[in-house]
Amino acid sequence: MARTVIIEQPGGPENLKLVDRPVGAPGPGEVRIEHRVCGLNFIDVYQRTGLYPMQMPQALGMEAAGVIAEVGEGVTHLKPGDRAAYAATPPGAYAEERVMPAAQVCPLPEGIAFDEAAAMMLKGMTVQYLFHRTTPLKKGDTVLFHAAAGGVGLIACQWARSEGITLIGTAGSDEKCQLALDHGASRCINYRNQDWVAQVRDLTGGKGVDVVMDAVGADTFNGSLDSLKPLGMMISFGNASGPVPPFNIGILGQKGSLKITRPTLFTHIADHAACQEMARHLFGKVEAGDVRIRIDQRFPLEDVADAHRALEARKTTGSTVLEV
């Protein structure tokens, strides 16, 4: 049996329940992993609220780090006793222990701590695909990144700096803006007291940015399009403020033959080899010191509802972890 956080119906943080569930043995292509630390992400909120519908009851959590306890038939890249980390489907990472598919579970280098790994797998591999698998980016390009002081944002700021890419961030307070600047953003705009679209235009000499990376969704979508240069790319990869409403695709032509995509991490990591390659790239950035993982909030597993409340209220910076 393992303590596991589940929901029985969509709703608020009060719907999160900590229960004992049987774990079982891994089948072919599976592993049993004992978690040390679990990560917290906005996708967990989307699933809890029903924005991303799931069958009920459902365990939550998409990333964690720990030790492999047992491997099933056919698993060759992991063995019992290995340190490992993952961001993967199906949900179920808010648990002391679980059985899950092995393909997206990655061997964890000794130099990376469990809490760092649990805080960075989903966020860090998201940054990896944003910068390397979505649209070509090169040294000297300019990116607008919303929520630059969040867990994904602080990794993106550092990643951009390490590759000579100019990152203009937005954040909701002067303190958060300074945090983004400290982590490598070239500029950061407080969207609560500035016209961030006008500021982006001013900072780019009226041209606009090459790429917008936007996980905020409804509140920033139109402004993001207005911040792009002609032929620019809009990457909408989240909905923290709610889903983007339907829009007339002709707007993309009117605003400069813009491109738009709505990717998900789980498409990119669906292939085992691609997932492992992305993780190695991320681990390399961290081991080289190009990216440091900032964990600003820690909650015990039993306080998961408080962690969700803090995340939804935008009271967090950097990454948040749940300690098992």
Side-chain angles (χ1 to χ4, degrees):
M1 304 292 284
R3 293 190 308 157
T4 305
V5 176
I6 67 166
I7 53 169
E8 296 176 329
Q9 61 182 9
E14 67 278 1
N15 284 21
L16 296 163
K17 294 184 176 182
L18 187 62
V19 301
D20 288 324
R21 293 183 112 193
V23 178
E30 294 182 331
V31 296
R32 178 166 62 90
I33 181 169
E34 297 173 350
H35 292 152
R36 298 293 187 267
V37 188
C38 311
L40 180 74
N41 297 281
F42 250 104
I43 190 172
D44 308 343
V45 174
Y46 304 155
Q47 292 172 345
R48 191 205 74 224
T49 60
L51 179 62
Y52 292 176
M54 300 185 298
Q55 289 189 333
M56 300 291 162
Q58 177 66 58
L60 288 186
M62 305 298 290
E63 72 177 340
V67 176
I68 300 298
E70 190 178 356
V71 302
E73 180 184 351
V75 177
T76 59
H77 70 294
L78 294 164
K79 65 183 184 302
D82 281 354
R83 304 170 78 252
Y86 66 86
T89 57
Y94 292 177
E96 292 175 321
E97 188 176 353
R98 71 182 293 199
V99 168
M100 64 181 296
Q104 281 69 46
V105 181
C106 306
L108 181 64
E110 288 290 338
I112 298 177
F114 288 125
D115 58 351
E116 289 180 302
M120 77 179 187
M121 292 300 291
L122 192 147
K123 303 170 189 69
M125 289 201 293
T126 294
V127 173
Q128 199 278 343
Y129 86 68
L130 289 173
F131 279 81
H132 293 277
R133 296 172 62 89
T134 307
T135 189
L137 279 169
K138 62 185 185 301
K139 184 177 181 179
D141 284 346
T142 301
V143 167
L144 172 63
F145 200 101
H146 293 298
V152 179
L154 292 183
I155 295 174
C157 289
Q158 296 173 82
W159 203 292
R161 178 173 59 187
S162 75
E163 300 195 351
I165 293 167
T166 298
L167 186 146
I168 300 171
T170 69
S173 70
D174 290 343
E175 292 77 15
K176 287 186 174 183
C177 284
Q178 187 59 52
L179 192 58
L181 292 169
D182 291 344
H183 282 74
S186 300
R187 298 290 182 92
C188 194
I189 303 163
N190 183 342
Y191 64 79
R192 294 191 188 279
N193 59 23
Q194 297 181 68
D195 181 341
W196 57 269
V197 177
Q199 286 285 307
V200 169
R201 285 287 171 184
D202 286 346
L203 291 171
T204 58
K207 295 178 182 178
V209 299
D210 298 286
V211 177
V212 176
M213 299 177 180
D214 186 344
V216 174
D219 288 354
T220 51
F221 182 75
N222 291 327
S224 290
L225 294 182
D226 289 337
S227 299
L228 283 164
K229 64 172 56 172
L231 306 179
M233 167 66 85
M234 167 70 170
I235 307 174
S236 176
F237 69 102
N239 341 274
S241 67
V244 174
F247 69 99
N248 179 357
I249 197 170
I251 290 173
L252 301 179
Q254 297 167 18
K255 292 182 181 294
S257 300
L258 305 180
K259 295 163 284 194
I260 187 167
T261 183
R262 204 321 183 174
T264 71
L265 171 64
F266 302 106
T267 307
H268 284 279
I269 65 173
D271 176 76
H272 167 71
C275 176
Q276 300 295 323
E277 179 186 351
M278 291 168 67
R280 286 191 294 270
H281 192 177
L282 171 62
F283 295 154
K285 287 280 190 184
V286 173
E287 290 182 302
D290 291 334
V291 171
R292 297 183 185 276
I293 305 304
R294 182 179 176 119
I295 301 171
D296 286 345
Q297 298 79 214
R298 298 173 186 267
F299 295 84
L301 187 62
E302 56 267 25
D303 291 344
V304 62
D306 290 337
H308 272 236
R309 291 185 185 101
L311 184 64
E312 288 182 279
R314 312 240 179 135
K315 292 181 178 178
T316 64
T317 54
S319 295
T320 303
V321 296
L322 302 171
E323 297 175 328
V324 178

